[in-house]
C-alpha cells in the first residue's frame, strides 16, 4: 500500500462534483462515480454517466426516495450498462415507472460488482491498485463539517448506523503542520486520512470533498465498501494511483 | 428558547449578524417572523453543536456554519441521511443493519 493515493490527480478519472439537491440519490451518484472512475482508468477517454437512469430504473423503484448501492449495481447489470449523462440527464426527481434505459445507447458497462473486506488496509490496497470505491457512512457529523480530517469516535459517530453513500477517491497522511489560517491546534502526530467525494455540490466541505480519519473505522467507513468490476483491455498496463 | 424578552446585548446581535451573513451566503429567506425566529434558534443550536464537535474532535476538522446550519438534526437526516421512513417508504442511503453479508 503506498503512503498516499489521490485519483483526483489522474486525468479523466474523477468526474465533477454533483449536487443531489432535494433528491435522496447519494447511492446513485456514488455508484455512477465508481463506474465513471473505473471506466476512465480502464478506457480513456472518460465519460460522464447517467444518474437519472438509476433513479428511473432502480429495481426497488424508489427514485429520489432512497436506495442502496448494491441495487444500483444490479440495475446497471440488468440494463446492460449506463447511458451518458448528456443523453439521459439528471432531473433531480425519480420516475420509477418511466425507465428510459432502452431508449438510450449505453456508453459504459460493468462485468460484476464486489464487496471488499471490512478492513482499512485491504480497502486502501484495492483503492490504490484498482480505483475508487463506494462506501456508506454515518452522515451525522457532516452537517457541521467545513474542512480538515474528522477523527470521530463511536460515540460521536456511530459506525453501526450508516446512511450516506459516497465515493472513496484516495488517502493520505496529514503532517504536523496545520493549514495556514487554521484556528485548530497542530496535531501532535501525523493523521492518516481518507479522501471522499460527496454529492452536495462543490461549495460544500473541501470543494465538495471531505476527509475522514483512516484506521479507526470512522463513521462506519468499512461497513459496506463496494465496487464494480470493469474488464481490463488486453495489452494495456494498469494505471496506478497518483501519490 | 425564544429570543423574545432577552436583553439586547452584544451576544444576540452577534448571532443575528452571523445568521444574516448565512442567509446571504446561502440565499435563505423565511416566510414569516415566527419561522425566522425558529430558524435562528436552530442556527444557534447548531453553532453550539459545531463548537462542541470542534472541541471533541481528535483530528484536524473544522466545524461551523454550513449550508445545513438552519436545519434540525432530524431535518438534515431526512434530506441527507436517515430519513424517518413512513409507511414503508425507504430512506436515502437507507439504514442498513444486516450482518449477514459475506464477501462476494
Amino acid at each position: 500500500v503506498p503512503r498516499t493515493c489521490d485519483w483526483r490527480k489522474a486525468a479523466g478519472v474523477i468526474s465533477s462534483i454533483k449536487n443531489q439537491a432535494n433528491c435522496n440519490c447519494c447511492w446513485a451518484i456514488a455508484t455512477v462515480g465508481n463506474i465513471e472512475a473505473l471506466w476512465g482508468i480502464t478506457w480513456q477517454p472518460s465519460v460522464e454517466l447517467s444518474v437519472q437512469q438509476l433513479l428511473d430504473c432502480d429495481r426497488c423503484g424508489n427514485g429520489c426516495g432512497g436506495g442502496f448501492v448494491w441495487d444500483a449495481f444490479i440495475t446497471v447489470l440488468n440494463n446492460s450498462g449506463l447511458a451518458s449523462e448528456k443523453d439521459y440527464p439528471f432531473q433531480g426527481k425519480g420516475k420509477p415507472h418511466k425507465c428510459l434505459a432502452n431508449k438510450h445507447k449505453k456508453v459504459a458497462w460493468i462485468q460484476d460488482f464486489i464487496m471488499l473486506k471490512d478492513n482499512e488496509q485491504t480497502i486502501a490496497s484495492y483503492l490504490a491498485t484498482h480505483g475508487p470505491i463506494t462506501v456508506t457512512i454515518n452522515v451525522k457529523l457532516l452537517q457541521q463539517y467545513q474542512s480538515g480530517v474528522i477523527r470521530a469516535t463511536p460515540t460521536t459517530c456511530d459506525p453501526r448506523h450508516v446512511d450516506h453513500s459516497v465515493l472513496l477517491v484516495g488517502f493520505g497522511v496529514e503532517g504536523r503542520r496545520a493549514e495556514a489560517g487554521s484556528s485548530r491546534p497542530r496535531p501532535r502526530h501525523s493523521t492518516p486520512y481518507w479522501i471522499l467525494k460527496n454529492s452536495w455540490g462543490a461549495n460544500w466541505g473541501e470543494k465538495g470533498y471531505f476527509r475522514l480519519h483512516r484506521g479507526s473505522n470512522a463513521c462506519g467507513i468499512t461497513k459496506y465498501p463496494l465496487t464494480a468490476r470493469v474488464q481490463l483491455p488486453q495489452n494495456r498496463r494498469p494505471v496506478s494511483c497518483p501519490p | 428558547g425564544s429570543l423574545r424578552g432577552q436583553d439586547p446585548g452584544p451576544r444576540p446581535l452577534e448571532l443575528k449578524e452571523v445568521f444574516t451573513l448565512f442567509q446571504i451566503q446561502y440565499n435563505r429567506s423565511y416566510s414569516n417572523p415566527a419561522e425566522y425566529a425558529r430558524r435562528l434558534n436552530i442556527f444557534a443550536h447548531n453553532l453550539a453543536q459545531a463548537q462542541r464537535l470542534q472541541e471533541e474532535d481528535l483530528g484536524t476538522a473544522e466545524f461551523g456554519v454550513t449550508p445545513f446550519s438552519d436545519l434540525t438534526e432530524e431535518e438534515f437526516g431526512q434530506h441527507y441521511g436517515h430519513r424517518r421512513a413512513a409507511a414503508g417508504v425507504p430512506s436515502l442511503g437507507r439504514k442498513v443493519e444486516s450482518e449477514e453479508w459475506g464477501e462476494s
Side-chain angles (χ1 to χ4, degrees):
Chain A
V1 179
R3 181 174 163 80
T4 62
C5 155
D6 189 348
W7 283 108
R8 294 175 298 181
K9 295 176 183 172
V13 172
I14 305 297
S15 62
S16 62
I17 292 286
K18 306 297 185 295
N19 193 342
Q20 66 185 74
N22 294 320
C23 177
N24 291 345
C25 61
C26 62
W27 56 279
I29 292 175
T31 302
V32 161
N34 172 250
I35 297 171
E36 284 172 340
L38 297 179
W39 200 261
I41 290 169
T42 309
W43 307 95
Q44 295 281 354
S46 59
V47 62
E48 295 224 3
L49 303 173
S50 175
V51 172
Q52 192 64 41
Q53 181 183 332
L54 293 182
L55 297 181
D56 294 345
C57 309
D58 184 56
R59 67 190 193 128
C60 294
N62 297 304
C64 286
F68 294 125
V69 167
W70 44 85
D71 286 326
F73 282 130
I74 291 170
T75 302
V76 175
L77 290 167
N78 287 343
N79 288 179
S80 303
L82 282 171
S84 70
E85 168 65 17
K86 189 180 174 187
D87 286 351
Y88 200 160
F90 182 63
Q91 296 179 338
K93 53 186 179 183
K95 291 179 289 184
H97 302 297
K98 288 186 180 175
C99 174
L100 303 176
N102 289 336
K103 297 194 174 186
H104 297 290
K105 178 189 170 190
K106 307 302 181 304
V107 296
W109 49 91
I110 65 175
Q111 268 64 48
D112 192 6
F113 70 96
I114 57 170
M115 188 163 85
L116 305 176
K117 284 184 181 175
D118 59 348
N119 175 292
E120 288 182 82
Q121 192 76 358
T122 303
I123 292 170
S125 175
Y126 197 94
L127 177 70
T129 54
H130 291 79
I133 297 162
T134 68
V135 291
T136 302
I137 61 164
N138 184 329
V139 77
K140 186 181 172 186
L141 295 182
L142 299 188
Q143 183 176 5
Q144 324 286 357
Y145 175 82
Q146 291 179 327
S147 64
V149 180
I150 299 172
R151 187 166 186 167
T153 65
T155 308
T156 59
C157 195
D158 188 348
R160 296 168 303 175
H161 178 131
V162 296
D163 54 6
H164 183 52
S165 298
V166 292
L167 188 66
L168 190 54
V169 300
F171 55 84
V173 179
E174 191 166 70
R176 289 167 182 267
R177 199 177 60 163
E179 287 180 22
S182 170
S183 59
R184 294 284 286 164
R186 293 177 180 181
R188 290 183 66 184
H189 304 288
S190 56
T191 305
Y193 60 81
W194 296 110
I195 307 166
L196 300 115
K197 183 187 182 189
N198 205 352
S199 50
W200 297 345
N203 291 327
W204 177 86
E206 296 181 328
K207 297 180 180 175
Y209 293 83
F210 64 103
R211 288 179 292 161
L212 277 179
H213 180 258
R214 176 164 53 99
S216 58
N217 189 26
C219 298
I221 192 169
T222 65
K223 197 169 178 69
Y224 296 107
L226 278 94
T227 182
R229 293 212 289 201
V230 173
Q231 191 173 26
L232 278 171
Q234 288 181 343
N235 304 324
R236 185 173 174 124
R237 291 173 61 194
V239 181
S240 58
C241 182
Chain B
S2 168
L3 292 176
R4 229 178 271 174
Q6 287 185 357
D7 290 333
R11 197 174 169 198
L13 282 176
E14 284 175 11
L15 175 65
K16 281 188 177 179
E17 284 171 1
V18 176
F19 191 53
T20 301
L21 290 174
F22 163 81
Q23 286 185 276
I24 294 167
Q25 184 175 358
Y26 297 110
N27 196 25
R28 293 287 205 286
S29 59
Y30 304 106
S31 54
N32 55 60
E35 180 65 7
Y36 171 87
R38 180 167 172 264
R39 293 296 160 188
L40 180 60
N41 277 339
I42 294 166
F43 184 80
H45 170 83
N46 281 333
L47 279 192
Q49 172 73 2
Q51 193 172 345
R52 271 195 298 276
L53 289 173
Q54 187 86 51
E55 288 161 2
E56 290 170 4
D57 191 79
L58 303 170
T60 61
E62 305 262 0
F63 297 96
V65 176
T66 73
F68 317 114
S69 290
D70 64 344
L71 300 178
T72 64
E73 190 179 329
E74 191 162 61
E75 287 170 333
F76 177 72
Q78 283 173 357
H79 289 295
Y80 300 98
H82 46 99
R83 167 173 286 189
R84 299 278 179 245
V89 178
S91 62
L92 156 82
R94 287 175 285 180
K95 183 177 177 181
V96 281
E97 300 280 8
S98 172
E99 298 291 344
E100 295 171 1
W101 283 75
E103 283 182 81
S104 171

